[in-house]
Amino acid sequence: MKILVINGPNLNMLGIREPDIYGKSTYADLCKMIEEHCAEKGVEVEIYQSNYEGDLVTKIQKALGVFDGIVINPAAYTHTSVALLDALKAVAIRAVEVHISDVSKREGFRSISFVREYCEKTIAGHGFAGYLEAIDALLAPPAEMRA
Ligand code: DQA
Protein backbone atom coordinates (compact mmCIF):
# COMPACT_ATOMS: atom_id res chain seq x y z
CA MET A 1 0.00 0.00 0.00
CA LYS A 2 1.40 3.35 -1.09
CA ILE A 3 -0.19 6.56 0.16
CA LEU A 4 0.42 10.12 -1.00
CA VAL A 5 -0.28 12.86 1.54
CA ILE A 6 -0.84 16.22 -0.14
CA ASN A 7 -0.86 19.53 1.71
CA GLY A 8 -1.86 22.84 0.17
CA PRO A 9 -0.81 26.45 0.76
CA ASN A 10 0.41 27.77 4.10
CA LEU A 11 0.49 24.36 5.75
CA ASN A 12 4.30 24.64 5.68
CA MET A 13 3.70 27.48 8.18
CA LEU A 14 2.19 25.21 10.83
CA GLY A 15 3.54 26.09 14.25
CA ILE A 16 3.81 29.75 13.20
CA ARG A 17 0.44 30.47 11.55
CA GLU A 18 -2.57 31.11 13.80
CA PRO A 19 -1.50 28.76 16.63
CA ASP A 20 -4.86 29.27 18.36
CA ILE A 21 -6.49 27.53 15.38
CA TYR A 22 -3.81 25.15 14.09
CA GLY A 23 -1.75 24.52 17.23
CA LYS A 24 1.92 25.03 18.02
CA SER A 25 3.31 21.91 16.40
CA THR A 26 5.23 22.43 13.19
CA TYR A 27 4.91 21.02 9.69
CA ALA A 28 7.99 18.90 10.41
CA ASP A 29 6.19 17.50 13.50
CA LEU A 30 3.20 16.63 11.30
CA CYS A 31 5.39 14.85 8.76
CA LYS A 32 7.16 12.88 11.50
CA MET A 33 3.82 11.82 13.01
CA ILE A 34 2.55 10.63 9.61
CA GLU A 35 5.80 8.81 8.80
CA GLU A 36 5.83 7.02 12.18
CA HIS A 37 2.20 5.99 11.82
CA CYS A 38 2.80 4.66 8.32
CA ALA A 39 5.91 2.76 9.44
CA GLU A 40 3.84 1.10 12.19
CA LYS A 41 1.13 0.14 9.68
CA GLY A 42 3.58 -1.05 7.03
CA VAL A 43 2.47 1.64 4.60
CA GLU A 44 4.76 3.40 2.14
CA VAL A 45 4.16 7.13 2.29
CA GLU A 46 5.20 10.25 0.44
CA ILE A 47 4.32 13.66 1.86
CA TYR A 48 4.08 16.62 -0.49
CA GLN A 49 3.35 20.29 0.18
CA SER A 50 3.00 23.18 -2.24
CA ASN A 51 1.69 26.70 -2.17
CA TYR A 52 0.84 26.48 -5.89
CA GLU A 53 -2.42 25.11 -7.22
CA GLY A 54 -0.89 23.89 -10.52
CA ASP A 55 1.84 21.98 -8.69
CA LEU A 56 -0.79 20.24 -6.58
CA VAL A 57 -2.71 19.32 -9.75
CA THR A 58 0.47 17.94 -11.37
CA LYS A 59 1.31 15.94 -8.24
CA ILE A 60 -2.15 14.33 -8.30
CA GLN A 61 -1.78 13.53 -12.02
CA LYS A 62 1.62 11.94 -11.41
CA ALA A 63 0.14 9.76 -8.66
CA LEU A 64 -1.62 7.69 -11.32
CA GLY A 65 -0.24 4.16 -11.35
CA VAL A 66 2.06 4.94 -8.40
CA PHE A 67 -0.16 5.45 -5.34
CA ASP A 68 -3.11 3.45 -4.00
CA GLY A 69 -4.57 6.25 -1.94
CA ILE A 70 -4.40 10.01 -1.44
CA VAL A 71 -4.86 11.97 1.78
CA ILE A 72 -5.43 15.59 0.82
CA ASN A 73 -5.63 18.79 2.80
CA PRO A 74 -6.03 21.33 0.00
CA ALA A 75 -6.01 24.15 2.61
CA ALA A 76 -7.41 27.37 1.09
CA TYR A 77 -7.79 25.67 -2.32
CA THR A 78 -10.45 23.48 -0.71
CA HIS A 79 -12.84 26.37 -1.02
CA THR A 80 -11.92 27.51 -4.55
CA SER A 81 -10.40 24.77 -6.68
CA VAL A 82 -12.36 22.91 -9.31
CA ALA A 83 -8.95 22.00 -10.80
CA LEU A 84 -8.05 19.85 -7.78
CA LEU A 85 -11.45 18.14 -7.90
CA ASP A 86 -10.99 17.42 -11.60
CA ALA A 87 -7.46 16.07 -11.04
CA LEU A 88 -8.74 13.65 -8.38
CA LYS A 89 -11.55 12.54 -10.69
CA ALA A 90 -9.07 12.13 -13.55
CA VAL A 91 -6.77 9.72 -11.70
CA ALA A 92 -9.66 8.02 -9.84
CA ILE A 93 -7.43 7.07 -6.89
CA ARG A 94 -9.19 6.62 -3.54
CA ALA A 95 -8.94 9.85 -1.56
CA VAL A 96 -9.78 11.21 1.89
CA GLU A 97 -10.03 14.95 2.65
CA VAL A 98 -8.53 16.27 5.89
CA HIS A 99 -8.68 19.60 7.68
CA ILE A 100 -6.86 20.30 10.91
CA SER A 101 -9.49 22.79 12.07
CA ASP A 102 -13.25 22.33 12.15
CA VAL A 103 -14.04 24.21 8.94
CA SER A 104 -17.78 23.90 9.58
CA LYS A 105 -17.47 26.14 12.67
CA ARG A 106 -15.44 28.93 11.02
CA GLU A 107 -16.25 31.55 8.35
CA GLY A 108 -19.07 30.52 6.01
CA PHE A 109 -16.79 30.23 2.96
CA ARG A 110 -14.80 27.48 4.69
CA SER A 111 -17.85 25.20 4.64
CA ILE A 112 -17.55 24.96 0.85
CA SER A 113 -15.33 22.14 -0.40
CA PHE A 114 -14.96 21.25 -4.06
CA VAL A 115 -12.89 18.10 -3.45
CA ARG A 116 -15.47 16.73 -1.01
CA GLU A 117 -17.58 15.67 -3.98
CA TYR A 118 -14.88 13.15 -4.92
CA CYS A 119 -13.38 12.17 -1.55
CA GLU A 120 -14.86 9.14 0.18
CA LYS A 121 -14.59 10.82 3.58
CA THR A 122 -13.90 14.24 5.11
CA ILE A 123 -12.20 14.48 8.49
CA ALA A 124 -12.16 17.98 10.01
CA GLY A 125 -11.37 19.38 13.43
CA HIS A 126 -9.33 16.44 14.73
CA GLY A 127 -6.01 18.30 14.53
CA PHE A 128 -3.00 16.38 13.20
CA ALA A 129 -4.66 13.10 14.24
CA GLY A 130 -7.07 13.60 11.34
CA TYR A 131 -4.27 12.65 8.92
CA LEU A 132 -3.72 9.35 10.75
CA GLU A 133 -7.46 8.64 10.69
CA ALA A 134 -7.49 9.35 6.96
CA ILE A 135 -4.61 6.90 6.41
CA ASP A 136 -6.47 4.26 8.45
CA ALA A 137 -9.62 4.89 6.40
CA LEU A 138 -7.65 4.17 3.22
CA LEU A 139 -6.30 0.95 4.75
CA ALA A 140 -9.87 -0.32 5.12
CA PRO A 141 -11.46 -1.75 1.97
CA PRO A 142 -13.51 0.73 -0.08
CA ALA A 143 -17.20 1.01 0.88
CA GLU A 144 -18.40 -0.91 -2.19
CA MET A 145 -16.27 -3.92 -1.14
CA ARG A 146 -17.73 -4.01 2.37
CA ALA A 147 -20.78 -6.14 3.13
C1 DQA B 1 -7.43 24.07 6.59
C2 DQA B 1 -8.69 24.95 6.63
C3 DQA B 1 -8.72 25.90 5.47
O1 DQA B 1 -9.90 26.70 5.51
C4 DQA B 1 -7.52 26.84 5.52
O2 DQA B 1 -7.51 27.68 4.40
C5 DQA B 1 -6.24 26.11 5.68
C6 DQA B 1 -6.18 24.92 6.53
C7 DQA B 1 -7.32 23.17 7.81
O3 DQA B 1 -6.51 22.25 7.77
O4 DQA B 1 -8.01 23.36 8.83
O5 DQA B 1 -5.20 26.55 5.19
O6 DQA B 1 -7.51 23.25 5.45
Side-chain angles (χ1 to χ4, degrees):
M1 179 82 173
K2 247 181 126 175
I3 291 180
L4 173 63
V5 178
I6 298 183
N7 283 303
N10 300 305
L11 289 169
N12 55 315
M13 298 291 283
L14 287 171
I16 298 164
R17 74 180 291 210
E18 302 178 272
D20 44 323
I21 296 175
Y22 299 109
K24 288 190 181 140
S25 301
T26 64
Y27 185 67
D29 295 332
L30 173 65
C31 294
K32 191 167 174 264
M33 201 171 153
I34 292 169
E35 277 158 6
E36 283 173 1
H37 186 74
C38 286
E40 267 169 36
K41 301 268 169 168
V43 171
E44 253 187 88
V45 70
E46 180 182 333
I47 308 170
Y48 178 80
Q49 189 276 330
S50 177
N51 294 322
Y52 299 95
E53 186 177 12
D55 287 350
L56 297 166
V57 168
T58 301
K59 191 67 190 174
I60 294 170
Q61 290 179 0
K62 287 189 174 159
L64 184 61
V66 180
F67 291 95
D68 309 298
I70 295 176
V71 171
I72 185 162
N73 182 350
Y77 292 136
T78 307
H79 321 300
T80 61
S81 181
V82 178
L84 287 177
L85 170 64
D86 286 348
L88 289 169
K89 283 182 171 178
V91 296
I93 298 169
R94 292 181 63 196
V96 175
E97 176 186 11
V98 174
H99 299 285
I100 295 164
S101 65
D102 186 351
V103 277
S104 71
K105 301 223 167 78
R106 299 179 62 192
E107 303 96 317
F109 64 83
R110 291 188 204 274
S111 294
I112 299 160
S113 167
F114 285 93
V115 299
R116 188 174 303 156
E117 185 189 311
Y118 176 80
C119 292
E120 56 188 59
K121 198 171 185 179
T122 296
I123 298 162
H126 297 186
F128 287 7
Y131 287 85
L132 312 187
E133 287 172 41
I135 288 159
D136 292 346
L138 289 171
L139 291 178
E144 64 270 17
M145 289 178 66
R146 281 177 239 145

